[in-house]
Amino acid sequence: MRVLFAAPAQGWDRWSGPLRAACPEMELLQDGAPDSFDALIYAPGFPAGGAALDFTPFNRARLVQSLWAGVERIVGNPTLTQPLCRMVDPGLRQGMVEYCVGWAMRGHLVMDSYAQDGVWRNDVVPPLAAERRVTVLGTGALGGAVAQALAALGFDVAGWSASGRAVDGVTALAGADLGAALARAEILISLLPDTDATRGLLDADRLALLPRGATLINPGRGTLIVEADLLAALDRGQVGLAVLDVFQTEPLPPAHAFWSHPRVIVTPHIAAETRPSTAAPVVAENLRRAMDGRALLHLVDRARGY
Ligand code: NDP
């Protein structure tokens, strides 16, 4: 099986060893005749130079396996006719759970209220988790795990998704319940993908539905939020803390107002990364499935865009 590593060259040293170890029958290459490859392992940034990859000549490829969970930069590529699978792996899931639980705790425990300024603020006592309502937008592989982890800590968690997907210990809300999902969200976490349907979803009207002083955590995609509307909501105190990992423009421009806003925390798209140690076995499993003609794992629905 010949597989093209269609990912930025700087990832080669990190990925090639674990991928070859997980799938010894694979011949993993960085270059070669497109029609000689049985599959592609893809990550954004390939090819170098910014042009979109033309998948047309890869006429015998049976799989394009993304190393990223988010596939918005490839799913709309009109030359892509091969099956596209996104990355779902235990390391990504655990990383995202840790990121979201950590930052949710900062909001929950009102950590920012206790400045080192000599003031004894014993009137600021956080409630217990059971008294704190959390909503997770998007309860897929990552959002579902985050919702479950927060529920296990005792939080009152609701999960909102297109289908109202069930998650153990979490109140399931579906498409039309968005208003109710936001209205209860003292802590709002979004793990929605970037699609036509999610772009600009959190605008001024929707942000106004949040309880006053809500904590917003967005490690999903930056296109979800109308950034000027969020800044206005922060300035009026509607949103008390925004922890943002993803942005309309990345890297976030140095002059962007988010960098200097006292109630914004910027993290540089690091919420969860795909780690070769946990992801390589997933890639190997999907390559074998593709070669054997078996059902693929985490196949992207092109019509829905995720
Ligand atoms: P999944 O595809 O497993 O889950 C997506 C969830 O979003 C599903 O619950 C889906 O609903 C829901 N959804 C999608 N569109 C809509 C809509 N229009 N209305 C309501 N719900 C919707 O994805 P993952 O959980 O694996 O990943 C989620 C996102 O996290 C990725 O797309 C990526 O953008 C981001 N991410 C960010 C990282 C970071 O480091 N910042 C790292 C990895 C991922 P349903 O269940 O009904 O289908």
Side-chain angles (χ1 to χ4, degrees):
M1 167 196 350
R2 278 171 66 88
V3 178
L4 178 66
F5 185 72
Q10 62 264 34
W12 176 252
D13 288 347
R14 191 167 158 251
W15 279 98
S16 52
L19 285 169
R20 284 173 171 151
C23 195
E25 68 272 38
M26 157 179 72
E27 191 186 350
L28 184 65
L29 299 156
Q30 284 185 285
D31 207 357
D35 61 358
S36 71
F37 289 111
D38 300 295
L40 291 83
I41 296 172
Y42 173 84
F46 182 90
L53 179 57
D54 180 5
F55 288 93
T56 318
F58 293 93
N59 51 24
R60 61 180 260 199
R62 289 187 241 172
L63 168 67
V64 175
Q65 173 65 56
S66 173
L67 293 179
W68 285 32
V71 289
E72 71 280 354
R73 285 163 69 175
I74 183 179
V75 72
N77 184 323
T79 68
L80 177 63
T81 52
Q82 301 82 348
L84 170 66
C85 292
R86 36 181 233 98
M87 178 51 64
V88 175
D89 94 291
L92 203 51
R93 187 162 53 231
Q94 181 64 20
M96 191 58 84
V97 166
E98 292 179 14
Y99 179 93
C100 290
V101 170
W103 291 109
M105 279 300 185
R106 180 167 176 162
H108 169 60
L109 294 176
V110 286
M111 289 184 191
D112 299 303
S113 302
Y114 310 107
Q116 294 293 100
D117 57 2
V119 180
W120 187 255
R121 294 185 181 83
N122 67 345
D123 56 335
V124 183
V125 180
L128 292 177
E131 298 152 27
R132 183 76 80 189
R133 292 189 307 277
V134 179
T135 293
V136 180
L137 303 179
T139 47
L142 299 177
V146 167
Q148 227 170 351
L150 289 166
L153 285 170
F155 287 98
D156 176 356
V157 186
W160 179 78
S161 75
S163 62
R165 194 189 287 235
V167 177
D168 277 353
V170 172
T171 305
L173 300 173
D177 304 325
L178 179 59
L182 296 174
R184 72 184 299 288
E186 292 172 275
I187 299 175
L188 181 69
I189 301 174
S190 177
L191 278 159
L192 289 168
D194 174 14
T195 69
D196 289 345
T198 61
R199 243 158 262 149
L201 195 80
L202 282 190
D203 60 8
D205 290 347
R206 300 230 170 80
L207 289 167
L209 297 174
L210 293 171
R212 191 169 172 75
T215 295
L216 166 63
I217 303 171
N218 184 25
R221 280 295 179 263
T223 51
L224 178 83
I225 295 175
V226 180
E227 292 182 343
D229 292 357
L230 175 57
L231 283 164
L234 283 157
D235 288 341
R236 341 181 264 285
Q238 183 73 35
V239 174
L241 172 69
V243 180
L244 308 172
D245 188 55
V246 286
F247 304 90
Q248 295 277 355
T249 303
E250 294 180 17
L252 186 66
H256 197 289
F258 284 156
W259 283 114
S260 54
H261 200 288
R263 285 199 284 273
V264 175
I265 290 162
V266 170
T267 59
H269 201 145
I270 47 72
E273 73 164 359
T274 316
R275 290 168 167 82
S277 57
T278 53
V282 178
V283 175
E285 171 64 18
N286 243 3
L287 286 170
R288 291 184 184 122
R289 284 172 176 249
M291 296 313 117
D292 298 349
R294 288 181 286 134
L296 296 168
L297 299 173
H298 319 302
L299 189 63
V300 171
D301 180 329
R302 302 289 178 84
R304 291 192 300 179
Y306 67 95

